[in-house]
Structure formats: structure tokens, C-alpha cells
Amino acid sequence: MAEAAETLDGWYCLHDFRTINWTEWKAFSSAEKQEAIAELNQLFSDWDLNHQVHEGSYGIYSILGQKADFAFMLLRPTMEELSTIETQFNKSKFAEITEPAYSFVSVVELSNYLGSKNGDPYAHPLVQKRLKPTLPDMGYFCFYPMDKKRQYGDNWYMLPMEERKNLMRSHGQIGRSYAGTITQIITGSVGLDDWEWGVTLFANDPLQFKKIVYEMRFDEASARFGEFGPFYVGLHQSPDAFIQSLSL
Ligand code: VOV
């Protein structure tokens, strides 16, 4: 049996994609709209407070194309907290006019492919920072789920550890050439959702998503072993901008 990589696991993560039923929103009376907006403001200010004290993080994104209208990315230390937030939102007036489009449940993950073997990795401040990330204030967001192939002949999980380390080293080298341009958060979802990882990328130039994903397609870790789900791309929105967009 090939040696399993050890993972370091951080905050739990919920990606929640929804569509808006504009016909129903427009049919709300102005009192109903005000109630919906007041509740949203309250929810967003709770999320923001949590984000400020670094007990979690959140991002609001306006999604381009027909797969969804908006997405929330929420990070919390426990699944219970994420579940509470999800229920709070679902009970809100605004949620009455939204429909589920896609969701993804995962946990922020780092692997030991490239780390040193010395000491407790959780003790490093840099590791803590990556496991409990503050979502960046960058203009664009890209999310997709992925697997590593498990086919006869090309089975990632049957490769010896050394070989996987080499492949991840090359992957990391490409990734690092995008330092400062792209921020990535890899969340593990084996046993939690239908794919093995969620890849969330942030950039100030959306063209960089196309560049990095394309370049990685030629790298063996992706070229031979990567299998990809649907891609979602969108624009980062402040709570105020999100609420503003409802009255456009
Ligand atoms: C900014 C870009 C960037 C950088 C710097 C980067 C670096 C690294 C390093 C150093 C490591 C390994 C150690 C760890 O930290 O886990 C990883 C790990 C991983 N990556 Fe990555 N990746 C990037 C970016 C990046 C992208 C764009 C993708 C999607 C692939 C594509 O073709 O679309 C991806 C995927 C992954 C995955 C699924 C894993 C886990 C694999 C596993 O088997 O466990 N990743 N990644």
C-alpha cells in the first residue's frame, strides 16, 4: 500500500452558491424589501465582526454566467458554526427569493508533501495563518472542485510517496511563479463532499485564472491526474455593494 500523505487541517469551509428569483424580489412590497435588507445587513455585520476578530472569515461574490447569481464563502473553526450560519440565512426574508445553485463543504488543508519533518507543524505561525486564512480583498474569485485520478495505470493513490512529492514540488514551483498575482486556498473534501478538493483562487486580474489553470494543465500533477468539476467565476463584493445591487 502506498503511504498516505498527512494533512494539516484548519477552518471548515462552506461555499454556498445561489440564484436570485428577480420576479419574486420585484414583487416584494417595499416593507418586505426593507425587512429583507435589514436582516441581510445584520447577518453581514455579524460575519464582519467575526472576520475582524479572526474567528472566521467570509467573502461575498457576484457570479458571472447562469450557474449562479452570487456566492458566499464562509470559514469557521467548526461545522456547527457553519450550520448555524446556513440556517440563519435560510430563515431570512431574502433567502425566500433565492434558490440553491451549488454548494461545497470542505476544510482548509495543507499536506506534508513539501513540509519539513521537524517539530509540530501546527506550531508554525505561517502554517496557522494558512490554515485559518483571512479571505483576501482581491477583485475576483474562481472556484472549482477537483479529484486526482484513480484509474488503472493512472492512479494517484497508488503512486509511491516519493513520486507524489516530486509531482507536487513541480506543481508548487508553477504555483509560486504566480506569487502576488494569485492567492489560492486548497480545501480538502474527501468524505465531506462529492469531490476530493475545492480550489479557490483570488486575483485582481481575472485573466490570471485562465493563465494559471492553463499552465498547470501541462504539468504532470494536473495533466495526468487532475479531474475537474464545474468552474465558477465572479467579482468580490462588499456587503454594501451586494445590497446596493438588489436595487439596481
Ligand atoms: C498560487 C498558486 C498555487 C501554489 C503556490 C500552490 C502550491 C501548492 C503546494 C506547495 C502544494 C503541496 C503542499 C500543500 O500545501 O498541500 C499544493 C497542493 C495542492 N494544490 Fe496547489 N498551488 C497553487 C495553485 C493551485 C491550483 C490552481 C490548483 C488546481 C489544479 C489545476 O490544474 O487547476 C491546485 C491544486 C492543488 C491540490 C488539489 C493540492 C493538494 C494535492 C494533494 O494531493 O494533497 N493548486 N499546492
Side-chain angles (χ1 to χ4, degrees):
M1 189 177 109
E3 180 191 345
E6 273 173 41
T7 61
L8 301 177
D9 304 284
W11 279 344
Y12 285 90
C13 182
L14 175 67
H15 290 77
D16 190 337
F17 295 82
R18 313 252 175 163
T19 54
I20 297 175
N21 186 327
W22 288 108
T23 310
E24 287 180 14
W25 173 251
K26 284 188 273 187
F28 268 5
S29 67
S30 66
E32 284 175 308
K33 282 184 183 162
Q34 271 173 24
E35 184 193 337
I37 286 172
E39 270 181 344
L40 266 184
N41 266 323
Q42 184 58 54
L43 270 177
F44 291 161
S45 88
D46 291 348
W47 296 358
D48 208 59
L49 193 65
N50 165 282
H51 178 88
Q52 302 301 335
V53 298
H54 198 64
E55 285 171 6
S57 194
Y58 77 101
I60 305 168
Y61 308 97
S62 165
I63 303 298
L64 219 67
Q66 296 180 352
K67 288 181 189 138
D69 288 323
F70 68 91
F72 297 141
M73 179 171 176
L74 294 153
L75 293 160
R76 287 294 181 277
T78 65
M79 259 194 191
E80 284 76 4
E81 287 159 283
L82 287 179
S83 172
T84 302
I85 295 174
E86 194 182 16
T87 309
Q88 270 172 344
F89 180 75
N90 283 338
K91 282 186 186 162
S92 72
K93 186 82 193 154
F94 176 66
E96 284 176 23
I97 57 98
T98 72
E99 277 150 31
Y102 190 67
S103 69
F104 200 74
V105 176
S106 55
V107 60
V108 180
E109 179 187 292
L110 296 176
S111 68
N112 69 341
Y113 285 125
L114 305 178
S116 78
K117 283 214 177 294
N118 302 328
D120 174 11
Y122 284 103
H124 291 272
L126 214 66
V127 168
Q128 282 296 321
K129 208 169 156 217
R130 290 189 57 201
L131 291 175
K132 301 171 182 176
T134 296
L135 297 186
D137 194 8
M138 294 168 101
Y140 300 90
F141 157 95
C142 173
F143 170 80
Y144 53 100
M146 70 173 286
D147 283 344
K148 287 279 173 73
K149 218 172 266 173
R150 277 185 291 124
Q151 278 168 9
Y152 187 72
D154 277 339
N155 189 331
W156 175 258
Y157 297 90
M158 290 175 77
L159 293 183
M161 183 61 155
E162 270 319 301
E163 211 172 315
R164 279 176 285 135
K165 272 189 180 167
N166 287 337
L167 291 169
M168 289 321 289
R169 195 167 296 120
S170 158
H171 165 82
Q173 264 163 11
I174 297 179
R176 272 191 291 278
S177 72
Y178 286 82
T181 307
I182 292 214
T183 297
Q184 103 282 21
I185 297 179
I186 302 299
T187 52
S189 44
V190 172
L192 303 178
D193 215 315
D194 301 340
W195 296 81
E196 294 168 350
W197 290 278
V199 179
T200 312
L201 306 176
F202 305 89
N204 282 321
D205 171 8
L207 197 56
Q208 297 305 316
F209 297 143
K210 180 172 174 291
K211 300 272 181 212
I212 193 173
V213 174
Y214 186 64
E215 191 177 348
M216 283 189 176
R217 288 286 154 102
F218 292 92
D219 185 56
E220 199 172 347
S222 299
R224 223 176 122 197
F225 297 103
E227 290 191 318
F228 302 91
F231 280 65
Y232 293 84
V233 70
L235 289 72
H236 188 203
Q237 279 191 311
S238 67
D240 285 349
F242 181 84
I243 286 169
Q244 199 73 45
S245 70
L246 297 175
S247 57
L248 286 180

